[in-house]
Each structure stands twice: as C-alpha cells, then as structure tokens.
Amino acid sequence: ELTNISINETLSRTIITSATTLLALVSIFLFGGEILKGFSFAMILGVIFGTYSSIYIANSVLVRLRVTQKTVLKDDD
C-alpha cells in the first residue's frame, strides 16, 4: 500500500520530467546533425526505459524483496 501511494504521488512529476527531457532530445535528434543522432537516440532510449523502470519495475522489486516501512526507517537507539 505504501509503495502505491508513493508511486501515485510521484507519477505526475516523473511523467512531466520525462516528457520535457524527451522533447529536448527529439529536437537534438532531428535538428542536431549527423554527429548527435547516435548520442541523442541512446539518450531517448535511456529516458524511456528509465521511466518505465521507475514506474513499473521498482515497485515489484520492493515487494519481492519484502521491503517495508520498518526496514527503511533507521532505529534511533
């Protein structure tokens, strides 16, 4: 439940950041010339896979590792 709340709170920020980054990278890909095409294409793929990973994969990894709020918080002993 905690991870679902966290994902919902950060989802809009993640999407907006990814969209603006992709906008700049697509501009570089289209208008940057032949030298920048490979670099910008790799960055576009990185942003797409990173966004997918942040939204879908991170939650299932935390669930499988049985990470809870208690395991994340430090003890003040």
Side-chain angles (χ1 to χ4, degrees):
E1 180 181 334
L2 180 64
T3 56
N4 286 335
I5 293 170
S6 299
I7 288 174
N8 287 334
E9 288 178 356
T10 61
L11 184 63
S12 63
R13 184 175 47 211
T14 302
I15 296 298
I16 291 170
T17 303
S18 298
T20 55
T21 306
L22 279 175
L23 182 65
L25 288 171
V26 168
S27 311
I28 292 171
F29 182 78
L30 295 175
F31 305 116
E34 194 62 34
I35 294 174
L36 294 176
K37 280 197 189 266
F39 172 74
S40 59
F41 182 70
M43 292 294 291
I44 289 169
L45 289 179
V47 169
I48 291 170
F49 289 130
T51 304
Y52 176 80
S53 172
S54 295
I55 295 172
Y56 296 107
I57 296 175
N59 186 25
S60 61
V61 168
L62 289 176
V63 169
R64 286 195 182 261
L65 293 176
R66 295 187 177 136
V67 175
T68 63
Q69 187 175 8
K70 292 177 185 177
T71 60
V72 175
L73 295 175
K74 292 183 178 180
D75 292 330
D76 291 334
D77 294 333

